[in-house]
């Protein structure tokens, strides 16, 4: 696991890993409640939007992806970097 972010409600956590996925975890139960798949290489950076409905991730595949947490779908892929994307932030 390379990156972790906590949802605004404190009840869930999202992690990014070298298995090319993001996982959403229930803090109380410790169980994975969603796996977000779409990156083609390691996922380094993760951040949660203030409304808790979307997550952004940065990857070794040189992209950022925006995810809808409820559906688990990637809603946008941001391309243009020529090397790995290690960090992400949401304001």
């Amino acid at each position: 696991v390379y990156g972790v972010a906590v949802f605004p409600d404190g009840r869930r956590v999202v992690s990014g890993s070298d298995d090319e996925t993001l996982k959403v975890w229930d803090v109380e139960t410790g169980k994975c409640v969603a796996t977000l798949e779409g990156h083609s290489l390691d996922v380094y950076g993760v951040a949660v939007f203030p409304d808790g409905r979307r997550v952004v991730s940065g990857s070794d595949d040189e992209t950022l992806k925006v995810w809808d947490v409820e559906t688990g779908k990637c809603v946008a892929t941001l391309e243009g970097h020529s090397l790995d994307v290690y960090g992400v932030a949401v304001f």
Side-chain angles (χ1 to χ4, degrees):
V1 173
Y2 293 114
V4 175
V6 179
F7 281 76
D9 63 9
R11 296 172 48 196
R12 293 172 295 166
V13 172
V14 62
S15 60
S17 173
D18 63 356
D19 67 1
E20 304 171 5
T21 70
L22 291 87
K23 292 191 179 285
V24 180
W25 305 88
D26 181 294
V27 172
E28 187 175 318
T29 66
K31 294 188 181 199
C32 177
V33 296
T35 300
L36 311 178
E37 298 178 290
H39 281 293
S40 60
L41 291 169
D42 303 357
V43 179
Y44 292 118
V46 295
V48 180
F49 282 70
D51 62 8
R53 296 174 56 202
R54 292 167 292 163
V55 170
V56 62
S57 57
S59 171
D60 198 16
D61 67 9
E62 303 171 4
T63 69
L64 293 105
K65 290 187 179 286
V66 179
W67 307 87
D68 181 299
V69 176
E70 186 176 323
T71 66
K73 303 288 185 196
C74 176
V75 296
T77 298
L78 310 175
E79 300 177 280
H81 287 285
S82 58
L83 292 171
D84 310 348
V85 179
Y86 289 106
V88 297
V90 177
F91 295 90

